[in-house]
Amino acid sequence: MIELKQLTKIFHGKDGDLRAVDGVSLHIREGEIFGIVGYSGAGKSTLVRCINFLETPDAGSLRVKGFGTVEIRNGAPVCLPEDGGEAVRLGEKQLKALRRDIGMIFQLFNLLDRSTVFDNVAFPLRHTGLSREQIRARVLELLDLVDLRDKVNAYPSELSGGQ
Ligand SMILES: Nc1ncnc2c1ncn2[C@@H]1O[C@H](COP(=O)(O)OP(=O)(O)OP(=O)(O)O)[C@@H](O)[C@H]1O
Ligand SMILES: [Mg+2]
């Protein structure tokens, strides 16, 4: 479940401020597949980057089930835990912890050209404390999920765009 209320993100550039996300409110139910459609530059990626904590909004609030509610207090983002506990200021350390548990497929794939499909999927798992065997099991499970088990030893240049 994701709920946004009046979410706003402003980029401060040399040519002035750019309101990339302007007061967006929406509610996405658990398990719902939700598309965001709009012209190039409309702010879709910025909106998604706010939802997965890669960007912090400038105003409004954002609630992601399992993560809590992020809102802006005195100009700084804080996270209110779901259990009703005390608000935590969202510094780099807190953001890193939130980001670890939320996945994103980027518009540009950011694959390592010289690594196999296996090593590309294994890469972010390397410093998580999992053993080699646990990483191997997880990578194969994920490749099964997207039906790419047979490409485990292929390189990115040997895959189709969709793959
Ligand atoms: N880091 C940034 N700094 C300054 N401006 C940015 C930044 N990222 C995006 N923008 C601007 O914010 C606006 C929204 O960009 P965004 O990437 O969210 O668009 P989009 O809807 O995903 O577009 P596309 O369909 O082309 O991917 C654009 O005008 C873009 O130039
Ligand atoms: Mg985009």
Side-chain angles (χ1 to χ4, degrees):
M1 194 287 298
I2 296 170
E3 188 171 41
L4 312 183
K5 286 186 187 156
Q6 290 297 315
L7 198 82
T8 299
K9 175 74 193 176
I10 300 163
F11 291 115
H12 306 284
K14 284 193 290 281
D15 305 322
D17 289 353
L18 194 149
R19 205 169 266 267
V21 176
D22 191 7
V24 171
S25 303
L26 58 83
H27 185 103
I28 305 173
R29 294 188 307 272
E30 191 159 350
E32 185 177 7
I33 295 174
F34 195 97
I36 302 169
V37 182
Y39 289 117
S40 181
K44 306 176 294 293
S45 293
T46 306
L47 180 64
V48 171
R49 290 168 62 86
C50 286
I51 296 173
N52 64 18
F53 309 108
L54 288 174
E55 299 279 5
T56 45
D58 293 293
S61 75
L62 156 72
R63 183 173 162 225
V64 182
K65 192 176 169 200
F67 291 85
T69 302
V70 172
E71 58 180 49
I72 311 304
R73 286 194 184 169
N74 305 322
V78 296
C79 184
L80 303 145
E82 287 194 309
D83 59 15
E86 215 177 298
V88 192
R89 216 185 88 84
L90 269 188
E92 270 311 307
K93 195 169 146 226
Q94 288 75 23
L95 284 169
K96 228 180 238 174
L98 290 173
R99 286 172 190 153
R100 201 167 3 211
D101 286 329
I102 204 157
M104 172 166 183
I105 297 169
F106 289 91
Q107 195 159 8
L108 300 171
F109 307 121
N110 300 324
L111 291 170
L112 303 169
D113 290 337
R114 292 196 215 175
S115 299
T116 61
V117 165
F118 182 94
D119 288 330
N120 268 283
V121 180
F123 185 77
L125 296 171
R126 275 206 207 135
H127 301 287
T128 52
L130 294 179
S131 70
R132 273 174 75 98
E133 259 327 295
Q134 286 171 315
I135 290 178
R136 188 176 163 75
R138 182 70 175 142
V139 168
L140 296 179
E141 180 193 339
L142 291 170
L143 290 177
D144 268 338
L145 182 72
V146 292
D147 209 13
L148 284 178
R149 178 79 172 248
D150 59 327
K151 298 289 186 188
V152 63
N153 294 314
Y155 286 88
S157 63
E158 298 167 325
L159 301 175
S160 74
Q163 284 174 336

